[in-house]
Amino acid sequence: MNTDETEPIKPRKYRTFRLAKGDLGILKAVHEYRFLQRDHVSLLTGRHPKRLHRRLFKLSHNRYLITTRFPGEKHIYAIGERGLQVLIGAGVAAVDARIRVRELKPLFLKHDMLIVDHHVLLDLTGNKANST
């Protein structure tokens, strides 16, 4: 059915990636907390974990997020090169911001994730208290 004048239809996995409306919220949350796991992002954005997992995969595959994972542990997401550029363009991140994920040691990341757990819980309880 394709003629020489029309472009062949690309398979789904090769189509171009575009940021969706809710992606900026994900990028802002990851930037604010520096590191987040999928459960944290789901709680902060209110998105369904399965759908969010697919979106996080696409964001990390397209370098908007960086993924770190230790054996037997959940993925840890940090802001990537393209994500940082989007946040700078939106005025959320400073122009001189840089990505420092590669410099980190596993012990520091585990410690930071404990802090993030508590920070997210405090923010969520604070938001619930303010809304009532």
Side-chain angles (χ1 to χ4, degrees):
M1 288 201 121
N2 286 339
T3 63
D4 293 335
E5 298 171 8
T6 62
E7 273 185 46
I9 298 174
K10 295 180 182 177
R12 185 177 194 114
K13 67 179 183 178
Y14 296 113
R15 293 182 187 165
T16 57
F17 178 81
R18 292 196 179 118
L19 284 176
K21 217 186 293 185
D23 291 342
L24 187 58
I26 294 170
L27 295 174
K28 283 181 184 179
V30 172
H31 176 69
E32 179 182 345
Y33 291 93
R34 190 170 179 196
F35 303 108
L36 288 177
Q37 292 176 334
R38 181 181 72 181
D39 299 336
H40 299 137
V41 179
S42 178
L43 288 170
L44 291 168
T45 61
R47 295 177 72 162
H48 189 272
K50 286 269 190 192
R51 290 187 190 132
L52 181 64
H53 178 72
R54 290 185 204 117
R55 198 64 192 166
L56 289 172
F57 175 78
K58 289 179 183 179
L59 287 169
S60 62
H61 181 71
N62 288 286
R63 296 186 358 223
Y64 289 92
L65 295 175
I66 295 172
T67 307
T68 304
R69 184 173 182 227
F70 299 113
E73 305 247 345
K74 295 179 180 179
H75 287 83
I76 299 171
Y77 297 96
I79 205 72
E81 295 172 25
R82 290 183 179 173
L84 186 61
Q85 294 303 317
V86 168
L87 293 175
I88 290 171
V92 175
V95 176
D96 60 349
R98 66 187 186 124
I99 299 168
R100 298 177 49 198
V101 175
R102 305 284 185 232
E103 304 167 7
L104 304 176
K105 305 286 183 212
L107 186 60
F108 175 81
L109 268 176
K110 288 181 183 182
H111 175 262
D112 205 45
M113 290 313 300
L114 289 172
I115 294 171
V116 167
D117 285 340
H118 288 85
H119 191 182
V120 168
L121 288 175
L122 288 172
D123 282 353
L124 290 173
T125 55
N127 289 339
K128 287 182 182 175
N130 291 336
S131 65
T132 57

mmCIF file with all atom_site columns, all heavy atoms in Angstrom, residues 84-107:
data_model
loop_
_atom_site.group_PDB
_atom_site.id
_atom_site.type_symbol
_atom_site.label_atom_id
_atom_site.label_alt_id
_atom_site.label_comp_id
_atom_site.label_asym_id
_atom_site.label_entity_id
_atom_site.label_seq_id
_atom_site.pdbx_PDB_ins_code
_atom_site.Cartn_x
_atom_site.Cartn_y
_atom_site.Cartn_z
_atom_site.occupancy
_atom_site.B_iso_or_equiv
_atom_site.pdbx_formal_charge
_atom_site.auth_seq_id
_atom_site.auth_comp_id
_atom_site.auth_asym_id
_atom_site.auth_atom_id
_atom_site.pdbx_PDB_model_num
ATOM 1   N N   . LEU A 1 84  ? 17.646 18.205 32.653 1.00 0.00 ? 84  LEU A N   1
ATOM 2   C CA  . LEU A 1 84  ? 18.192 19.433 33.215 1.00 0.00 ? 84  LEU A CA  1
ATOM 3   C C   . LEU A 1 84  ? 17.982 20.601 32.254 1.00 0.00 ? 84  LEU A C   1
ATOM 4   O O   . LEU A 1 84  ? 17.620 21.706 32.678 1.00 0.00 ? 84  LEU A O   1
ATOM 5   C CB  . LEU A 1 84  ? 19.679 19.253 33.531 1.00 0.00 ? 84  LEU A CB  1
ATOM 6   C CG  . LEU A 1 84  ? 20.348 20.406 34.249 1.00 0.00 ? 84  LEU A CG  1
ATOM 7   C CD1 . LEU A 1 84  ? 19.685 20.659 35.602 1.00 0.00 ? 84  LEU A CD1 1
ATOM 8   C CD2 . LEU A 1 84  ? 21.820 20.120 34.441 1.00 0.00 ? 84  LEU A CD2 1
ATOM 9   N N   . GLN A 1 85  ? 18.167 20.360 30.970 1.00 0.00 ? 85  GLN A N   1
ATOM 10  C CA  . GLN A 1 85  ? 17.941 21.419 29.979 1.00 0.00 ? 85  GLN A CA  1
ATOM 11  C C   . GLN A 1 85  ? 16.474 21.867 29.962 1.00 0.00 ? 85  GLN A C   1
ATOM 12  O O   . GLN A 1 85  ? 16.185 23.056 29.838 1.00 0.00 ? 85  GLN A O   1
ATOM 13  C CB  . GLN A 1 85  ? 18.374 20.957 28.586 1.00 0.00 ? 85  GLN A CB  1
ATOM 14  C CG  . GLN A 1 85  ? 19.858 20.727 28.447 1.00 0.00 ? 85  GLN A CG  1
ATOM 15  C CD  . GLN A 1 85  ? 20.667 21.960 28.800 1.00 0.00 ? 85  GLN A CD  1
ATOM 16  O OE1 . GLN A 1 85  ? 20.339 23.070 28.423 1.00 0.00 ? 85  GLN A OE1 1
ATOM 17  N NE2 . GLN A 1 85  ? 21.733 21.753 29.553 1.00 0.00 ? 85  GLN A NE2 1
ATOM 18  N N   . VAL A 1 86  ? 15.549 20.912 30.106 1.00 0.00 ? 86  VAL A N   1
ATOM 19  C CA  . VAL A 1 86  ? 14.122 21.250 30.146 1.00 0.00 ? 86  VAL A CA  1
ATOM 20  C C   . VAL A 1 86  ? 13.825 22.097 31.376 1.00 0.00 ? 86  VAL A C   1
ATOM 21  O O   . VAL A 1 86  ? 13.108 23.105 31.303 1.00 0.00 ? 86  VAL A O   1
ATOM 22  C CB  . VAL A 1 86  ? 13.253 19.968 30.142 1.00 0.00 ? 86  VAL A CB  1
ATOM 23  C CG1 . VAL A 1 86  ? 11.803 20.280 30.470 1.00 0.00 ? 86  VAL A CG1 1
ATOM 24  C CG2 . VAL A 1 86  ? 13.356 19.271 28.805 1.00 0.00 ? 86  VAL A CG2 1
ATOM 25  N N   . LEU A 1 87  ? 14.391 21.725 32.525 1.00 0.00 ? 87  LEU A N   1
ATOM 26  C CA  . LEU A 1 87  ? 14.148 22.471 33.758 1.00 0.00 ? 87  LEU A CA  1
ATOM 27  C C   . LEU A 1 87  ? 14.777 23.861 33.709 1.00 0.00 ? 87  LEU A C   1
ATOM 28  O O   . LEU A 1 87  ? 14.212 24.820 34.233 1.00 0.00 ? 87  LEU A O   1
ATOM 29  C CB  . LEU A 1 87  ? 14.674 21.686 34.961 1.00 0.00 ? 87  LEU A CB  1
ATOM 30  C CG  . LEU A 1 87  ? 13.919 20.390 35.258 1.00 0.00 ? 87  LEU A CG  1
ATOM 31  C CD1 . LEU A 1 87  ? 14.600 19.632 36.384 1.00 0.00 ? 87  LEU A CD1 1
ATOM 32  C CD2 . LEU A 1 87  ? 12.473 20.676 35.607 1.00 0.00 ? 87  LEU A CD2 1
ATOM 33  N N   . ILE A 1 88  ? 15.933 23.988 33.094 1.00 0.00 ? 88  ILE A N   1
ATOM 34  C CA  . ILE A 1 88  ? 16.557 25.305 32.932 1.00 0.00 ? 88  ILE A CA  1
ATOM 35  C C   . ILE A 1 88  ? 15.674 26.169 32.030 1.00 0.00 ? 88  ILE A C   1
ATOM 36  O O   . ILE A 1 88  ? 15.428 27.345 32.315 1.00 0.00 ? 88  ILE A O   1
ATOM 37  C CB  . ILE A 1 88  ? 17.988 25.182 32.365 1.00 0.00 ? 88  ILE A CB  1
ATOM 38  C CG1 . ILE A 1 88  ? 18.919 24.576 33.422 1.00 0.00 ? 88  ILE A CG1 1
ATOM 39  C CG2 . ILE A 1 88  ? 18.514 26.525 31.894 1.00 0.00 ? 88  ILE A CG2 1
ATOM 40  C CD1 . ILE A 1 88  ? 20.300 24.199 32.911 1.00 0.00 ? 88  ILE A CD1 1
ATOM 41  N N   . GLY A 1 89  ? 15.159 25.580 30.964 1.00 0.00 ? 89  GLY A N   1
ATOM 42  C CA  . GLY A 1 89  ? 14.267 26.306 30.060 1.00 0.00 ? 89  GLY A CA  1
ATOM 43  C C   . GLY A 1 89  ? 12.969 26.733 30.724 1.00 0.00 ? 89  GLY A C   1
ATOM 44  O O   . GLY A 1 89  ? 12.404 27.783 30.415 1.00 0.00 ? 89  GLY A O   1
ATOM 45  N N   . ALA A 1 90  ? 12.488 25.928 31.683 1.00 0.00 ? 90  ALA A N   1
ATOM 46  C CA  . ALA A 1 90  ? 11.250 26.252 32.397 1.00 0.00 ? 90  ALA A CA  1
ATOM 47  C C   . ALA A 1 90  ? 11.504 27.192 33.573 1.00 0.00 ? 90  ALA A C   1
ATOM 48  O O   . ALA A 1 90  ? 10.557 27.617 34.241 1.00 0.00 ? 90  ALA A O   1
ATOM 49  C CB  . ALA A 1 90  ? 10.592 24.965 32.892 1.00 0.00 ? 90  ALA A CB  1
ATOM 50  N N   . GLY A 1 91  ? 12.762 27.484 33.845 1.00 0.00 ? 91  GLY A N   1
ATOM 51  C CA  . GLY A 1 91  ? 13.097 28.376 34.949 1.00 0.00 ? 91  GLY A CA  1
ATOM 52  C C   . GLY A 1 91  ? 13.093 27.706 36.311 1.00 0.00 ? 91  GLY A C   1
ATOM 53  O O   . GLY A 1 91  ? 13.094 28.380 37.338 1.00 0.00 ? 91  GLY A O   1
ATOM 54  N N   . VAL A 1 92  ? 13.107 26.386 36.345 1.00 0.00 ? 92  VAL A N   1
ATOM 55  C CA  . VAL A 1 92  ? 13.093 25.647 37.608 1.00 0.00 ? 92  VAL A CA  1
ATOM 56  C C   . VAL A 1 92  ? 14.502 25.446 38.141 1.00 0.00 ? 92  VAL A C   1
ATOM 57  O O   . VAL A 1 92  ? 14.747 25.575 39.335 1.00 0.00 ? 92  VAL A O   1
ATOM 58  C CB  . VAL A 1 92  ? 12.385 24.284 37.424 1.00 0.00 ? 92  VAL A CB  1
ATOM 59  C CG1 . VAL A 1 92  ? 12.462 23.443 38.666 1.00 0.00 ? 92  VAL A CG1 1
ATOM 60  C CG2 . VAL A 1 92  ? 10.951 24.494 36.990 1.00 0.00 ? 92  VAL A CG2 1
ATOM 61  N N   . ALA A 1 93  ? 15.438 25.136 37.270 1.00 0.00 ? 93  ALA A N   1
ATOM 62  C CA  . ALA A 1 93  ? 16.818 24.876 37.665 1.00 0.00 ? 93  ALA A CA  1
ATOM 63  C C   . ALA A 1 93  ? 17.693 26.066 37.287 1.00 0.00 ? 93  ALA A C   1
ATOM 64  O O   . ALA A 1 93  ? 17.404 26.796 36.337 1.00 0.00 ? 93  ALA A O   1
ATOM 65  C CB  . ALA A 1 93  ? 17.339 23.612 36.984 1.00 0.00 ? 93  ALA A CB  1
ATOM 66  N N   . ALA A 1 94  ? 18.761 26.231 38.056 1.00 0.00 ? 94  ALA A N   1
ATOM 67  C CA  . ALA A 1 94  ? 19.715 27.298 37.773 1.00 0.00 ? 94  ALA A CA  1
ATOM 68  C C   . ALA A 1 94  ? 20.491 26.970 36.500 1.00 0.00 ? 94  ALA A C   1
ATOM 69  O O   . ALA A 1 94  ? 20.713 25.799 36.178 1.00 0.00 ? 94  ALA A O   1
ATOM 70  C CB  . ALA A 1 94  ? 20.677 27.458 38.939 1.00 0.00 ? 94  ALA A CB  1
ATOM 71  N N   . VAL A 1 95  ? 20.916 28.002 35.805 1.00 0.00 ? 95  VAL A N   1
ATOM 72  C CA  . VAL A 1 95  ? 21.641 27.821 34.548 1.00 0.00 ? 95  VAL A CA  1
ATOM 73  C C   . VAL A 1 95  ? 22.975 27.106 34.787 1.00 0.00 ? 95  VAL A C   1
ATOM 74  O O   . VAL A 1 95  ? 23.430 26.324 33.951 1.00 0.00 ? 95  VAL A O   1
ATOM 75  C CB  . VAL A 1 95  ? 21.873 29.179 33.852 1.00 0.00 ? 95  VAL A CB  1
ATOM 76  C CG1 . VAL A 1 95  ? 22.704 29.030 32.595 1.00 0.00 ? 95  VAL A CG1 1
ATOM 77  C CG2 . VAL A 1 95  ? 20.542 29.835 33.545 1.00 0.00 ? 95  VAL A CG2 1
ATOM 78  N N   . ASP A 1 96  ? 23.578 27.328 35.945 1.00 0.00 ? 96  ASP A N   1
ATOM 79  C CA  . ASP A 1 96  ? 24.879 26.718 36.229 1.00 0.00 ? 96  ASP A CA  1
ATOM 80  C C   . ASP A 1 96  ? 24.761 25.358 36.926 1.00 0.00 ? 96  ASP A C   1
ATOM 81  O O   . ASP A 1 96  ? 25.751 24.823 37.413 1.00 0.00 ? 96  ASP A O   1
ATOM 82  C CB  . ASP A 1 96  ? 25.746 27.657 37.058 1.00 0.00 ? 96  ASP A CB  1
ATOM 83  C CG  . ASP A 1 96  ? 25.102 28.003 38.397 1.00 0.00 ? 96  ASP A CG  1
ATOM 84  O OD1 . ASP A 1 96  ? 23.915 27.689 38.594 1.00 0.00 ? 96  ASP A OD1 1
ATOM 85  O OD2 . ASP A 1 96  ? 25.795 28.594 39.243 1.00 0.00 ? 96  ASP A OD2 1
ATOM 86  N N   . ALA A 1 97  ? 23.556 24.784 36.965 1.00 0.00 ? 97  ALA A N   1
ATOM 87  C CA  . ALA A 1 97  ? 23.364 23.475 37.594 1.00 0.00 ? 97  ALA A CA  1
ATOM 88  C C   . ALA A 1 97  ? 24.122 22.404 36.822 1.00 0.00 ? 97  ALA A C   1
ATOM 89  O O   . ALA A 1 97  ? 24.295 22.495 35.609 1.00 0.00 ? 97  ALA A O   1
ATOM 90  C CB  . ALA A 1 97  ? 21.877 23.126 37.642 1.00 0.00 ? 97  ALA A CB  1
ATOM 91  N N   . ARG A 1 98  ? 24.580 21.393 37.548 1.00 0.00 ? 98  ARG A N   1
ATOM 92  C CA  . ARG A 1 98  ? 25.289 20.306 36.881 1.00 0.00 ? 98  ARG A CA  1
ATOM 93  C C   . ARG A 1 98  ? 24.818 18.975 37.440 1.00 0.00 ? 98  ARG A C   1
ATOM 94  O O   . ARG A 1 98  ? 24.254 18.897 38.522 1.00 0.00 ? 98  ARG A O   1
ATOM 95  C CB  . ARG A 1 98  ? 26.797 20.452 37.023 1.00 0.00 ? 98  ARG A CB  1
ATOM 96  C CG  . ARG A 1 98  ? 27.302 20.317 38.426 1.00 0.00 ? 98  ARG A CG  1
ATOM 97  C CD  . ARG A 1 98  ? 28.791 20.636 38.486 1.00 0.00 ? 98  ARG A CD  1
ATOM 98  N NE  . ARG A 1 98  ? 29.274 20.369 39.824 1.00 0.00 ? 98  ARG A NE  1
ATOM 99  C CZ  . ARG A 1 98  ? 30.260 19.562 40.100 1.00 0.00 ? 98  ARG A CZ  1
ATOM 100 N NH1 . ARG A 1 98  ? 30.880 18.941 39.120 1.00 0.00 ? 98  ARG A NH1 1
ATOM 101 N NH2 . ARG A 1 98  ? 30.647 19.364 41.327 1.00 0.00 ? 98  ARG A NH2 1
ATOM 102 N N   . ILE A 1 99  ? 25.105 17.931 36.699 1.00 0.00 ? 99  ILE A N   1
ATOM 103 C CA  . ILE A 1 99  ? 24.710 16.578 37.078 1.00 0.00 ? 99  ILE A CA  1
ATOM 104 C C   . ILE A 1 99  ? 25.873 15.938 37.820 1.00 0.00 ? 99  ILE A C   1
ATOM 105 O O   . ILE A 1 99  ? 26.991 15.898 37.310 1.00 0.00 ? 99  ILE A O   1
ATOM 106 C CB  . ILE A 1 99  ? 24.337 15.765 35.823 1.00 0.00 ? 99  ILE A CB  1
ATOM 107 C CG1 . ILE A 1 99  ? 23.165 16.445 35.124 1.00 0.00 ? 99  ILE A CG1 1
ATOM 108 C CG2 . ILE A 1 99  ? 24.005 14.335 36.177 1.00 0.00 ? 99  ILE A CG2 1
ATOM 109 C CD1 . ILE A 1 99  ? 22.885 15.912 33.753 1.00 0.00 ? 99  ILE A CD1 1
ATOM 110 N N   . ARG A 1 100 ? 25.590 15.425 39.035 1.00 0.00 ? 100 ARG A N   1
ATOM 111 C CA  . ARG A 1 100 ? 26.677 14.883 39.844 1.00 0.00 ? 100 ARG A CA  1
ATOM 112 C C   . ARG A 1 100 ? 26.435 13.426 40.253 1.00 0.00 ? 100 ARG A C   1
ATOM 113 O O   . ARG A 1 100 ? 26.981 12.964 41.235 1.00 0.00 ? 100 ARG A O   1
ATOM 114 C CB  . ARG A 1 100 ? 26.837 15.737 41.093 1.00 0.00 ? 100 ARG A CB  1
ATOM 115 C CG  . ARG A 1 100 ? 27.204 17.161 40.766 1.00 0.00 ? 100 ARG A CG  1
ATOM 116 C CD  . ARG A 1 100 ? 27.291 18.014 41.983 1.00 0.00 ? 100 ARG A CD  1
ATOM 117 N NE  . ARG A 1 100 ? 28.092 17.394 43.011 1.00 0.00 ? 100 ARG A NE  1
ATOM 118 C CZ  . ARG A 1 100 ? 28.059 17.754 44.282 1.00 0.00 ? 100 ARG A CZ  1
ATOM 119 N NH1 . ARG A 1 100 ? 27.271 18.714 44.676 1.00 0.00 ? 100 ARG A NH1 1
ATOM 120 N NH2 . ARG A 1 100 ? 28.816 17.134 45.169 1.00 0.00 ? 100 ARG A NH2 1
ATOM 121 N N   . VAL A 1 101 ? 25.652 12.711 39.515 1.00 0.00 ? 101 VAL A N   1
ATOM 122 C CA  . VAL A 1 101 ? 25.305 11.341 39.889 1.00 0.00 ? 101 VAL A CA  1
ATOM 123 C C   . VAL A 1 101 ? 26.501 10.403 39.763 1.00 0.00 ? 101 VAL A C   1
ATOM 124 O O   . VAL A 1 101 ? 26.697 9.515  40.586 1.00 0.00 ? 101 VAL A O   1
ATOM 125 C CB  . VAL A 1 101 ? 24.124 10.833 39.027 1.00 0.00 ? 101 VAL A CB  1
ATOM 126 C CG1 . VAL A 1 101 ? 23.826 9.384  39.310 1.00 0.00 ? 101 VAL A CG1 1
ATOM 127 C CG2 . VAL A 1 101 ? 22.918 11.694 39.268 1.00 0.00 ? 101 VAL A CG2 1
ATOM 128 N N   . ARG A 1 102 ? 27.309 10.590 38.770 1.00 0.00 ? 102 ARG A N   1
ATOM 129 C CA  . ARG A 1 102 ? 28.427 9.675  38.522 1.00 0.00 ? 102 ARG A CA  1
ATOM 130 C C   . ARG A 1 102 ? 29.496 9.741  39.622 1.00 0.00 ? 102 ARG A C   1
ATOM 131 O O   . ARG A 1 102 ? 30.286 8.840  39.769 1.00 0.00 ? 102 ARG A O   1
ATOM 132 C CB  . ARG A 1 102 ? 29.074 9.994  37.174 1.00 0.00 ? 102 ARG A CB  1
ATOM 133 C CG  . ARG A 1 102 ? 28.106 9.976  36.012 1.00 0.00 ? 102 ARG A CG  1
ATOM 134 C CD  . ARG A 1 102 ? 27.749 8.569  35.604 1.00 0.00 ? 102 ARG A CD  1
ATOM 135 N NE  . ARG A 1 102 ? 26.910 8.604  34.411 1.00 0.00 ? 102 ARG A NE  1
ATOM 136 C CZ  . ARG A 1 102 ? 25.758 7.980  34.327 1.00 0.00 ? 102 ARG A CZ  1
ATOM 137 N NH1 . ARG A 1 102 ? 25.293 7.281  35.318 1.00 0.00 ? 102 ARG A NH1 1
ATOM 138 N NH2 . ARG A 1 102 ? 25.047 8.052  33.216 1.00 0.00 ? 102 ARG A NH2 1
ATOM 139 N N   . GLU A 1 103 ? 29.520 10.826 40.394 1.00 0.00 ? 103 GLU A N   1
ATOM 140 C CA  . GLU A 1 103 ? 30.535 11.004 41.426 1.00 0.00 ? 103 GLU A CA  1
ATOM 141 C C   . GLU A 1 103 ? 30.189 10.290 42.734 1.00 0.00 ? 103 GLU A C   1
ATOM 142 O O   . GLU A 1 103 ? 30.996 10.275 43.641 1.00 0.00 ? 103 GLU A O   1
ATOM 143 C CB  . GLU A 1 103 ? 30.706 12.502 41.720 1.00 0.00 ? 103 GLU A CB  1
ATOM 144 C CG  . GLU A 1 103 ? 31.044 13.319 40.501 1.00 0.00 ? 103 GLU A CG  1
ATOM 145 C CD  . GLU A 1 103 ? 30.900 14.815 40.761 1.00 0.00 ? 103 GLU A CD  1
ATOM 146 O OE1 . GLU A 1 103 ? 30.676 15.211 41.917 1.00 0.00 ? 103 GLU A OE1 1
ATOM 147 O OE2 . GLU A 1 103 ? 31.022 15.575 39.803 1.00 0.00 ? 103 GLU A OE2 1
ATOM 148 N N   . LEU A 1 104 ? 28.990 9.735  42.844 1.00 0.00 ? 104 LEU A N   1
ATOM 149 C CA  . LEU A 1 104 ? 28.503 9.238  44.120 1.00 0.00 ? 104 LEU A CA  1
ATOM 150 C C   . LEU A 1 104 ? 28.880 7.782  44.372 1.00 0.00 ? 104 LEU A C   1
ATOM 151 O O   . LEU A 1 104 ? 28.954 6.977  43.462 1.00 0.00 ? 104 LEU A O   1
ATOM 152 C CB  . LEU A 1 104 ? 26.995 9.400  44.182 1.00 0.00 ? 104 LEU A CB  1
ATOM 153 C CG  . LEU A 1 104 ? 26.513 10.833 43.953 1.00 0.00 ? 104 LEU A CG  1
ATOM 154 C CD1 . LEU A 1 104 ? 25.006 10.867 43.928 1.00 0.00 ? 104 LEU A CD1 1
ATOM 155 C CD2 . LEU A 1 104 ? 27.049 11.753 45.026 1.00 0.00 ? 104 LEU A CD2 1
ATOM 156 N N   . LYS A 1 105 ? 29.046 7.483  45.635 1.00 0.00 ? 105 LYS A N   1
ATOM 157 C CA  . LYS A 1 105 ? 29.372 6.126  46.083 1.00 0.00 ? 105 LYS A CA  1
ATOM 158 C C   . LYS A 1 105 ? 28.096 5.433  46.554 1.00 0.00 ? 105 LYS A C   1
ATOM 159 O O   . LYS A 1 105 ? 27.135 6.084  46.984 1.00 0.00 ? 105 LYS A O   1
ATOM 160 C CB  . LYS A 1 105 ? 30.378 6.174  47.233 1.00 0.00 ? 105 LYS A CB  1
ATOM 161 C CG  . LYS A 1 105 ? 31.638 6.946  46.918 1.00 0.00 ? 105 LYS A CG  1
ATOM 162 C CD  . LYS A 1 105 ? 32.518 6.164  46.008 1.00 0.00 ? 105 LYS A CD  1
ATOM 163 C CE  . LYS A 1 105 ? 33.811 6.934  45.780 1.00 0.00 ? 105 LYS A CE  1
ATOM 164 N NZ  . LYS A 1 105 ? 34.384 6.743  44.528 1.00 0.00 ? 105 LYS A NZ  1
ATOM 165 N N   . PRO A 1 106 ? 28.052 4.109  46.501 1.00 0.00 ? 106 PRO A N   1
ATOM 166 C CA  . PRO A 1 106 ? 26.848 3.375  46.917 1.00 0.00 ? 106 PRO A CA  1
ATOM 167 C C   . PRO A 1 106 ? 26.416 3.666  48.357 1.00 0.00 ? 106 PRO A C   1
ATOM 168 O O   . PRO A 1 106 ? 25.222 3.786  48.629 1.00 0.00 ? 106 PRO A O   1
ATOM 169 C CB  . PRO A 1 106 ? 27.245 1.911  46.754 1.00 0.00 ? 106 PRO A CB  1
ATOM 170 C CG  . PRO A 1 106 ? 28.335 1.920  45.744 1.00 0.00 ? 106 PRO A CG  1
ATOM 171 C CD  . PRO A 1 106 ? 29.055 3.215  45.929 1.00 0.00 ? 106 PRO A CD  1
ATOM 172 N N   . LEU A 1 107 ? 27.362 3.796  49.271 1.00 0.00 ? 107 LEU A N   1
ATOM 173 C CA  . LEU A 1 107 ? 27.005 4.052  50.664 1.00 0.00 ? 107 LEU A CA  1
ATOM 174 C C   . LEU A 1 107 ? 26.301 5.405  50.804 1.00 0.00 ? 107 LEU A C   1
ATOM 175 O O   . LEU A 1 107 ? 25.313 5.533  51.523 1.00 0.00 ? 107 LEU A O   1
ATOM 176 C CB  . LEU A 1 107 ? 28.250 4.001  51.552 1.00 0.00 ? 107 LEU A CB  1
ATOM 177 C CG  . LEU A 1 107 ? 28.002 4.116  53.050 1.00 0.00 ? 107 LEU A CG  1
ATOM 178 C CD1 . LEU A 1 107 ? 27.102 2.980  53.519 1.00 0.00 ? 107 LEU A CD1 1
ATOM 179 C CD2 . LEU A 1 107 ? 29.313 4.099  53.809 1.00 0.00 ? 107 LEU A CD2 1
#
